[in-house]
Amino acid sequence: MRIIDKLNLPNDISKLNKKQIDLLILDLIDEMIELSKLRSVHFASNLGVIHLTIALLKVFNPLSDQIVFDVGHQSYIYKMLTDRYKQIKSIRTYKGLSGFQDPYESKYDKFSAGHAGTSLSVATGIYYGLTKKQQQTNDVIAIVGDASLANGLALEALEANVDLKAPMIIIVNDNNMSIGQDIGGLHHILINLQNKKNRDNFFTQLGYYYIGVVDGHDINNLVKALKRAKAYKHKYQKSVIIHIKTKKGYGYCLDTDGTYHSYQYNTNIQNSITKSIGYYLATQLANRKKDDYLLISPSMTFNTGFELLKTKKPDSFIDLGIQEENAVTIAAGIAIKNNYHPIINTYATFIQRCYDQLLHDVARLKLGISILLDRADLASSNGSSHAGIYDVAMLKSIPNTIITSGLTKEQNYTLLKLSIEQKLKVIFAIRYANKDASNDHKLIEYINKFPIYINEWQILKHNFLNKKCFISYGTYYLKILQNFFYLNNISFINALFINSYHKNNLIWLTKQKFEEIIIYERINETNNLASDIEQFFYENNIKIKITKLAYHGFVEHGENEQLDKIFGMDLDSLKQLLN
């Protein structure tokens, strides 16, 4: 029997000797490997914090003290060592454990995040929330990665915390990595701190007491540093920064390029990336002869397939680490000079952080930028924090914005070319899921023959019986067409322009006198295309039955097929509706 199976967790952690801890570390590494054999998990980041998590549980009480992980994807070890070891194999499955911290899941989790840079602000708020109840004896600990620390929100909290007098312990987990290689000035400051013993540094000048650099894989030194920080904080009521050096992927395979960030055992990650729509777009941009664009990547360069462009055309590529808001305003600065067309590459869920920059810095000034929104769909096992289904409602509220979503990777590149070459003075958003939903080459070839005109929908098939009309857009629509395009009583429309379409598209619908119009959208039901069509029909007294299919609320984690079934968005549900 392994030592982890014998422990009363988390209470026994503080009683373990060095030999027992070494055995426990091996058990945890084995457990992470076993999890990776079941499904894709946040692998390297969790291996990197095994020693830190054990040290935290040796020094602090995870019930009364407030331990907040930035992002929270590196909390698998924390889950196992608190109260969820026996449930860990359910992680990232429907109704199973979340892949992030979740206070609704366990009393040991104090907050739920999924986007980077939140932990310092949350910890500051938690401190004030406790202080109001005279619970100042509780320790508040925020663990933030070196890449997350460079995020705008984290830097704001870091700067404000000293004057707010909200004493906490901030652990900077420095592994020279974000998802991929780390970049930026703060990254170089941390490197310099590793090589110097000068006690006067960036953090001390801000007003923090600084402890570092501590070996993040040495339990004894970690425990000493944590105890020292705790004593200092309580004595002087001042925040402390502990700078630890760790290796992402420790104990298995060091993660030097992001390959093991989201990892499934025996899966060729690089091969998977090359099949993505993002990789195709990056390839087309890399082969583009005109030097007329600059691509800005504020997050997920490796996972979106754009590492290729960074390598092949570095002069056209700007890597920002984790800085979505900064990316949009940099794009505004590029656009206003009108020499290059700025393109932002990120996830659909991360563009939510940029509302003010998009509205104030770009749309208001009638500047032309393109935004490539990867993972514009449910987020499967990542859950609500990563679901790319809320961007359309947000973007629709911003004037001078065109939201598009092609069926194929070729359509999406055509849309991007239009945005670049027509020099549109708008925000031009192109949404797509990670990969094409179908490999039906005949169907793809058929669809790609349709010309794309700005603000025009495509009538893929017209049913002259005027029974039903099916309207949708985006990558998943390919799968629907593959299964139902043969039906003779249905017209199929590709609404690849989701908001800025000509009114003639709606007028055409009314002239056909369809008995029913079915609008299928893999986004949230609020402020979507269906609501626009419904409003138009109401205002013009058009009496046609409208069936709307979309998600509502926050969609939890699970396989997309399971979640689709719950919302009636799966192929079986469509079969009943269309036949």
Side-chain angles (χ1 to χ4, degrees):
M1 181 181 286
R2 301 186 302 177
I3 190 169
I4 194 170
D5 295 303
K6 302 175 186 177
L7 298 178
N8 175 25
L9 297 170
N11 299 330
D12 285 352
I13 299 294
S14 60
K15 304 170 188 175
L16 298 178
N17 59 35
K18 185 182 183 306
K19 183 178 179 181
Q20 291 170 318
I21 287 173
D22 289 343
L23 291 172
L24 178 60
I25 290 169
L26 291 175
D27 287 349
L28 292 167
I29 292 171
D30 285 344
E31 196 64 43
M32 285 304 305
I33 294 170
E34 290 305 309
L35 286 178
S36 76
K37 291 177 181 178
L38 297 175
R39 65 192 65 91
S40 176
V41 292
H42 294 109
F43 190 69
S45 51
N46 277 282
L47 292 177
V49 297
I50 289 177
H51 300 76
L52 172 62
T53 307
I54 293 170
L56 284 167
L57 296 174
K58 268 186 163 291
V59 176
F60 300 102
N61 183 331
L63 271 184
S64 57
D65 294 323
Q66 313 295 303
I67 299 173
V68 181
F69 288 90
D70 203 89
V71 184
H73 67 296
Q74 73 283 52
S75 63
Y76 293 28
I77 307 301
Y78 180 79
K79 288 172 186 272
M80 283 191 261
L81 295 182
T82 49
D83 60 341
R84 284 153 286 178
Y85 169 60
K86 291 183 179 178
Q87 293 83 42
I88 198 64
K89 284 187 169 55
S90 72
I91 201 162
R92 289 165 65 87
T93 64
Y94 182 60
K95 297 299 182 184
L97 296 181
S98 167
F100 303 90
Q101 283 192 296
D102 184 355
Y104 295 101
E105 175 182 289
S106 170
K107 58 189 175 183
Y108 291 100
D109 291 356
K110 311 304 178 184
F111 191 76
S112 176
H115 295 181
T118 63
S119 61
L120 304 190
S121 299
V122 168
T124 301
I126 285 175
Y127 171 82
Y128 275 107
L130 292 172
T131 301
K132 292 295 182 184
K133 291 187 177 180
Q134 282 74 49
Q135 293 175 299
Q136 300 95 325
T137 55
N138 296 116
D139 285 301
V140 180
I141 308 101
I143 301 99
V144 59
D146 49 326
S148 290
L149 193 61
N151 180 267
L153 180 60
L155 280 176
E156 288 180 31
L158 188 71
E159 192 278 332
N161 176 266
V162 176
D163 284 341
L164 289 175
K165 294 180 172 57
M168 66 180 70
I169 296 169
I170 299 168
I171 300 168
V172 177
N173 177 24
D174 178 5
N175 57 27
N176 288 335
M177 291 284 290
S178 174
I179 305 296
Q181 290 295 322
D182 210 353
I183 57 101
L186 188 56
H187 167 60
H188 295 294
I189 287 174
L190 293 174
I191 289 176
N192 289 334
L193 284 175
Q194 295 173 33
N195 301 326
K196 294 180 180 179
K197 294 184 178 179
N198 184 0
R199 309 318 296 165
D200 186 23
N201 58 54
F202 171 77
F203 298 112
T204 58
Q205 289 176 19
L206 280 175
Y208 289 92
Y209 182 70
Y210 173 83
I211 299 172
V213 176
V214 180
D215 183 349
H217 302 296
D218 185 324
I219 295 282
N220 287 336
N221 281 337
L222 282 170
V223 168
K224 285 177 185 176
L226 291 170
K227 287 182 175 178
R228 179 180 161 196
K230 182 174 181 175
Y232 183 93
K233 183 187 79 79
H234 283 283
K235 183 175 181 179
Y236 296 103
Q237 288 298 294
K238 187 176 178 180
S239 289
V240 180
I241 283 182
I242 306 175
H243 179 186
I244 72 170
K245 181 66 183 166
T246 62
K247 295 177 180 178
K248 196 174 179 186
Y250 180 92
Y252 182 76
C253 185
L254 298 188
D255 195 9
T256 56
D257 61 2
T259 299
Y260 292 91
H261 174 71
S262 290
Y263 173 67
Q264 185 163 4
Y265 189 78
N266 274 348
T267 299
N268 188 324
I269 302 297
Q270 191 61 49
N271 187 46
S272 178
I273 293 291
T274 59
K275 293 179 180 177
S276 68
I277 295 174
Y279 187 88
Y280 172 81
L281 297 176
T283 303
Q284 298 304 308
L285 287 173
N287 294 333
R288 190 173 173 81
K289 292 179 180 178
K290 291 183 180 178
D291 185 23
D292 55 359
Y293 70 89
L294 286 169
L295 188 131
I296 308 162
S297 179
S299 51
M300 313 307 290
T301 300
F302 177 81
N303 284 27
T304 57
F306 276 82
E307 199 78 32
L308 168 85
L309 187 65
K310 183 179 180 180
T311 303
K312 288 200 169 186
K313 221 168 182 180
D315 292 342
S316 299
F317 191 93
I318 300 171
D319 192 349
L320 293 180
I322 306 175
Q323 298 180 3
E324 294 91 354
E325 301 97 319
N326 189 23
V328 173
T329 305
I330 285 176
I334 294 169
I336 207 161
K337 301 314 293 182
N338 207 32
N339 294 321
Y340 299 95
H341 182 79
I343 306 167
I344 297 169
N345 164 60
T346 189
Y347 280 13
T349 183
F350 297 145
I351 204 65
Q352 297 160 189
R353 316 186 96 182
C354 309
Y355 186 85
D356 184 60
Q357 288 74 29
L358 291 167
L359 179 72
H360 181 272
D361 300 341
V362 182
R364 185 177 64 91
L365 301 179
K366 298 182 175 65
L367 298 175
I369 73 170
S370 297
I371 307 175
L372 302 177
L373 297 175
D374 202 331
R375 268 68 167 187
D377 204 329
L378 292 185
S380 188
S381 54
N382 274 323
S384 61
S385 66
H386 280 57
I389 62 173
Y390 308 104
D391 56 299
V392 170
M394 182 193 86
L395 292 170
K396 277 185 67 184
S397 72
I398 300 176
N400 300 329
T401 298
I402 295 177
I403 313 165
T404 69
S405 191
L407 273 72
T408 66
K409 57 181 179 287
E410 292 86 2
Q411 278 200 338
N412 284 310
Y413 183 63
T414 300
L415 289 166
L416 179 58
K417 278 176 60 182
L418 284 173
S419 180
I420 296 171
E421 294 169 3
Q422 295 201 12
K423 299 185 183 301
L424 302 170
K425 301 299 182 182
V426 298
I427 297 167
F428 197 95
I430 303 170
R431 312 176 69 253
Y432 51 89
N434 183 30
K435 293 181 176 66
D436 278 337
S438 168
N439 59 358
D440 186 331
H441 299 296
K442 273 192 173 181
L443 177 62
I444 291 170
E445 186 180 346
Y446 172 76
I447 288 167
N448 286 337
K449 285 180 180 177
F450 281 81
I452 293 178
Y453 302 108
I454 294 291
N455 299 329
E456 289 290 346
W457 293 349
Q458 296 175 332
I459 303 170
L460 302 177
K461 179 181 179 182
H462 187 199
N463 149 47
F464 290 95
L465 299 174
N466 295 330
K467 294 290 184 182
K468 295 180 180 179
C469 181
F470 191 93
I471 301 175
S472 189
Y473 51 81
T475 318
Y476 189 84
Y477 195 10
L478 262 182
K479 186 181 286 188
I480 295 172
L481 291 170
Q482 183 181 1
N483 282 271
F484 303 111
F485 204 52
Y486 68 91
L487 294 175
N488 293 322
N489 64 332
I490 301 175
S491 294
F492 290 93
I493 290 179
N494 179 21
L496 71 173
F497 289 89
I498 303 170
N499 69 325
S500 180
Y501 44 82
H502 292 311
K503 192 175 286 186
N504 285 342
N505 292 290
L506 298 177
I507 293 171
W508 182 88
L509 286 177
T510 65
K511 287 183 176 179
Q512 308 313 306
K513 298 181 180 178
F514 290 112
E515 294 176 9
E516 181 181 10
I517 294 176
I518 300 161
I519 308 161
Y520 180 100
E521 299 181 81
R522 296 183 70 79
I523 60 173
N524 189 265
E525 63 186 352
T526 305
N527 195 19
N528 57 5
L529 174 62
S531 59
D532 290 350
I533 294 174
E534 195 171 46
Q535 181 68 20
F536 177 82
F537 281 17
Y538 173 78
E539 290 173 353
N540 291 276
N541 198 30
I542 307 296
K543 306 294 185 182
I544 301 176
K545 179 183 177 183
I546 293 179
T547 299
K548 301 180 292 183
L549 298 171
Y551 305 109
H552 57 265
F554 290 103
V555 182
E556 57 188 299
H557 58 278
E559 291 304 315
N560 282 5
E561 292 78 7
Q562 293 174 295
L563 301 171
D564 283 341
K565 198 168 188 65
I566 292 168
F567 288 92
M569 301 281 284
D570 60 307
L571 294 176
D572 287 340
S573 298
L574 284 179
K575 188 175 182 179
Q576 293 180 27
L577 184 65
L578 297 177
N579 281 320

